[in-house]
Amino acid sequence: MPLIVSYEEAAQLVRGEAERVLARSLQKEFVPLLRAPGRVLAEPILADRDQPPFPRSTRDGFACRANELERGPLRIAGLLRAGQPWTGGSLGVGEAVEIMTGAAVPPGADCVAMVEHVAVAVAVGQVRLNGQQRPAAGENIVPTGAEAKRGDSIIPAGRRLGPAEIAAVAACGAATVPVFLRPRIAIVSTGDELVDVAQSPLTHQIRNSNSYSLGAQVAAAGGEPELLPIVRDDAAETEAVIRQAVTFDLILLTGGVSMGRFDFVEPALLTAGAEFLFTGVRMQPGKPVVFGRIGEKPFFGLPGNPISAMVTCALFVSPVLRALGGERETEPRFRMARLEEGIAVKAGLTRFLPARLQSDVHGTRVRRISWQGSGDLTAAARANSFLVVPESRDKLDEGEIVAILEL
């Protein structure tokens, strides 16, 4: 029953599952604002008043009428600081008010002349232009409600909250925030060769790094990872852990998905009633990745090699996981960069190669990291991204703009 698909086909199947999950009703909770970063908003945040609630000065200078300032000196009628109300009524003919950035522009003024563009005669209390700069009506003033009107949606439901969103929520007066519950993710590593990180492995054993790297990726994507005990290469033990894992929102297994005599994950999933959407993807690393559903619960069987597990988690698991958490933007995180050194590969597989991404004001550059295959954790630690080589390409040229997968 092999269902081997291209990367594009696999991505489309995962996208469809994310859309299916997003259509479900999700549970929510209210959390204090300082605990909301990284959470997914469950209800839209509405403006509780116009933003700004008054015409706001964007510069230090003098609030006045532009045509009057151009004709000659104006009398300074007062000083306004941010947070200070103006009590002098509408600005009189031939008057200006010294004003600070963020203060409410007094009625009657239609511009703020920047302090750099005027000269002040302190002795006579007058201000005039000091050169060729001529302010126009509306200059350096943000009108009332220009950013948002009372009742407008400031942040839609389904948005992950970062610093900018938190600031916007605070400006709307929300001390607590409605967020979706984090999905619970069962993480299961399989293999006779595995021991826990706290154990000293024998010469033929390795420590279980996959559960921890996947747990970190799950947490970064908004899930609550739970590491189940290591499962030996045994059919009954594999079936038992899958029965336990279906109580979670998503099942994430690693190892045991290839074609070897002791790879029991796929048969155990079939025994549990699994529907397979694909059982392999034409990609490297990560070709043996498995995806499907047991009832309404999505599951992934990831390869046991650490880099394969990381790449397939970023490409396929994270979009479904984000959707389970109510997030609307679920696609894998790609960006573009200029390739510093050309590379050659065999065509026929979409490749995701460990790479080092560097950015500065001049642009973003990427260079491939030397590696010893998908079990090379040292290379993974040196890399900060994965260089994408499309299935149809057998080389990428130096200086070419290429796609990069970010974890």
Side-chain angles (χ1 to χ4, degrees):
M1 181 214 50
L3 300 168
I4 311 299
V5 298
S6 68
Y7 165 69
E8 288 77 12
E9 291 168 326
Q12 182 60 41
L13 288 165
V14 167
R15 192 175 299 116
E17 180 68 7
E19 291 171 357
R20 184 188 74 86
V21 167
L22 276 170
R24 300 187 311 173
S25 177
L26 302 176
Q27 293 182 297
K28 63 185 179 183
E29 63 179 340
F30 284 82
V31 299
L33 187 55
L34 277 178
R35 288 179 50 205
R39 302 297 298 271
V40 178
L41 192 63
E43 299 174 9
I45 297 295
L46 307 181
D48 64 334
R49 59 177 183 165
D50 289 348
Q51 295 186 9
F54 48 79
R56 184 180 68 227
S57 175
T58 63
R59 295 287 189 274
D60 292 340
F62 288 84
C64 60
R65 297 180 184 89
N67 61 355
E68 291 186 350
L69 182 62
E70 190 168 358
R71 289 200 298 265
L74 303 178
R75 184 178 71 84
I76 301 173
L79 169 68
L80 261 177
R81 302 190 304 271
Q84 177 185 17
W86 175 251
T87 59
S90 184
L91 205 63
V93 176
E95 289 185 336
V97 172
E98 187 175 4
I99 193 168
M100 305 296 113
T101 301
V105 176
D110 66 7
C111 76
V112 172
M114 293 172 59
V115 69
E116 296 93 330
H117 298 160
V118 298
V120 178
V122 177
V124 293
Q126 290 183 336
V127 61
R128 60 175 176 78
L129 292 170
N130 65 2
Q132 298 302 312
Q133 294 286 353
R134 297 288 187 269
E139 191 168 328
N140 301 322
I141 298 175
V142 180
T144 302
E147 298 164 355
K149 298 292 187 183
R150 184 175 185 272
D152 283 353
S153 176
I154 302 298
I155 310 172
R159 176 79 60 82
R160 186 177 295 276
L161 297 172
E165 289 84 1
I166 293 296
V169 173
C172 292
T176 60
V177 187
V179 294
F180 289 116
L181 293 182
R182 290 189 178 104
R184 297 171 59 244
I185 313 301
I187 299 177
V188 181
S189 287
T190 71
D192 287 341
E193 74 278 15
L194 299 178
V195 298
D196 195 39
V197 294
Q199 291 182 245
S200 295
L202 301 175
T203 54
H204 59 282
Q205 296 175 319
I206 58 173
R207 293 187 176 92
N208 173 24
S209 63
N210 279 353
S211 288
Y212 294 89
S213 65
L214 293 174
Q217 286 180 270
V218 164
E224 292 280 3
E226 182 161 338
L227 276 54
L228 301 187
I230 294 169
V231 175
R232 302 302 159 196
D233 291 323
D234 176 84
E237 194 172 333
T238 306
E239 291 173 12
V241 79
I242 289 174
R243 286 194 296 271
Q244 179 185 0
V246 293
T247 62
F248 290 76
D249 297 303
L250 183 146
I251 307 163
L252 187 51
L253 304 112
T254 176
V257 292
S258 295
M259 301 298 291
R261 289 176 57 196
F262 300 102
D263 291 328
F264 296 108
V265 167
E266 287 188 41
L269 288 166
L270 280 171
T271 300
E275 171 194 1
F276 288 90
L277 298 177
F278 58 75
T279 59
V281 179
R282 294 195 300 272
M283 60 182 287
Q284 191 260 341
K287 186 176 180 181
V289 60
V290 172
F291 170 48
R293 288 189 292 265
I294 299 175
E296 290 297 305
K297 300 293 179 72
F299 68 80
F300 289 89
L302 307 185
N305 282 328
I307 296 181
S308 299
M310 290 180 203
V311 169
T312 50
C313 183
L315 291 172
F316 306 128
V317 179
S318 289
V320 176
L321 195 161
R322 291 190 184 101
L324 284 166
E327 189 172 357
R328 296 287 166 177
E329 297 177 3
T330 64
E331 291 293 304
R333 304 320 195 210
F334 288 101
R335 65 189 300 186
M336 307 304 290
R338 189 175 300 279
L339 187 61
E340 288 191 329
E341 184 178 64
I343 61 173
V345 297
K346 287 185 179 180
L349 299 174
T350 302
R351 300 180 188 273
F352 297 86
L353 307 178
R356 190 75 191 173
L357 197 66
Q358 292 183 304
S359 297
D360 57 29
V361 295
H362 303 292
T364 303
R365 306 171 305 283
V366 66
R367 177 182 291 270
R368 180 181 178 180
I369 294 289
S370 174
W371 67 322
Q372 303 301 316
S374 55
D376 190 348
L377 278 173
T378 303
R382 293 199 308 271
N384 60 4
S385 58
F386 289 87
L387 170 64
V388 183
V389 184
E391 183 176 344
S392 60
R393 300 287 299 272
D394 61 4
K395 67 174 184 175
L396 298 176
D397 297 324
E398 179 182 348
E400 187 172 347
I401 302 299
V402 296
I404 303 299
L405 170 68
E406 295 185 305
L407 291 182

